[in-house]
Structures are given as C-alpha cells and as structure tokens.
Amino acid sequence: MRKITLIIIFLVLSASFGYCQDQSLQLTIKSDKEVYEVGEEVGFQLTIKNVSSEEIEAPELIWSSKVIIDGKEYSLDSKYIGIWNGPGIILAGTEMFSSIVLSRYGITKDVLTLGKHDISVKIGNAFSNTIQIEVREKNP
C-alpha cells in the first residue's frame, strides 16, 4: 500500500512539474526576411516571455535552446555556451529579446538547401511559433 501511495504522489508531482515547465515560458520568433540567398547568414529575433510568477535565469535558457529546422533539432555550438552579455534574469511577467543566428547552431548551407524551410525554437518543453523561410539561388 505504501509503494502505491508513493507512486501516486510521484506521478502527481511529475505531472504538475511538467505542466509548470510548459506554462513558464512563451516563445515567439520572427524574421525580417522571408527569402534568403544560398550561403547568406540566417537569423531571427526570439522573444522569451516569463509567464510564471518566478524569476528565470536568462543565460541558461539561451544556452539550452534548440533550433528546429524541418523537424530536426540543432543545439547551440559549445563554443558559444558561457558567452553572455544580456540581462541575467527574466522577471516574472516580463520579456527578453535575443538574436538567434543559425550558424551558431551548426546549421550550414548543407542544411538550408534550396527551397522552403520551417523553423522554430524549443527551450525545455516550450516551443515557439513556426516561421517559414525560402532559400534561393544568388541573384547575379
């Protein structure tokens, strides 16, 4: 009986914790451009809104972020982890803005081939909206 009670408590706490994680961040990405040329650096703005009632450490969020392109996840290159010049925390109910540059995630022209690509960002269990960009041949 005691094991069953402990298992039930664990499951309830796990479900609650997972729900809190999903609800603590609201991620939005946007790009100034919809069309890029082959080999052009692709970047966009990430807005992280802390919708929880607690402060959140900002650097760890960015360092743990993943970029998702056409369903495949890419992690921030380790040489960029530890570099930080922004605010240290995101206060409850406030937003932080960050630039995401795809080359820092190891995303090269081999990944961004000609055509359209769906891009989103994941931090923990939170996902951003999906944007679509198109990669075209360079104009002569």
Side-chain angles (χ1 to χ4, degrees), residues 49-68:
K49 183 172 184 179
N50 178 358
V51 294
S52 75
S53 59
E54 303 291 325
E55 295 177 347
I56 296 175
E57 295 289 327
E60 285 77 12
L61 288 179
I62 298 302
W63 296 334
S64 69
S65 64
K66 306 224 185 286
V67 171
I68 303 169

Side-chain angles (χ1 to χ4, degrees), residues 7-120:
I7 290 171
I8 291 172
I9 290 171
F10 174 76
L11 290 174
V12 168
L13 289 175
S14 296
S16 298
F17 180 71
Y19 177 77
C20 291
Q21 278 187 325
D22 288 344
Q23 300 302 313
S24 64
L25 298 177
Q26 186 177 68
L27 308 176
T28 307
I29 59 172
K30 68 178 185 176
S31 177
D32 292 336
K33 297 173 69 171
E34 292 180 14
V35 178
Y36 291 85
E37 292 181 347
V38 172
E40 184 178 359
E41 182 69 77
V42 176
F44 50 87
Q45 183 173 324
L46 169 65
T47 303
I48 303 171
K49 183 172 184 179
N50 178 358
V51 294
S52 75
S53 59
E54 303 291 325
E55 295 177 347
I56 296 175
E57 295 289 327
E60 285 77 12
L61 288 179
I62 298 302
W63 296 334
S64 69
S65 64
K66 306 224 185 286
V67 171
I68 303 169
I69 298 182
D70 301 328
K72 185 174 178 188
E73 287 187 11
Y74 299 85
S75 298
L76 186 64
D77 189 310
S78 61
K79 68 182 173 188
Y80 297 105
I81 295 175
I83 299 171
W84 188 255
N85 63 358
I89 59 170
I90 307 171
L91 298 173
T94 64
E95 295 178 340
M96 183 191 90
F97 303 96
S98 180
S99 294
I100 298 288
V101 179
L102 296 188
S103 63
R104 292 183 174 191
Y105 289 78
I107 299 165
T108 63
K109 62 183 178 182
D110 298 336
V111 174
L112 289 174
T113 56
L114 294 176
K116 294 184 180 183
H117 300 278
D118 293 327
I119 302 174
S120 61

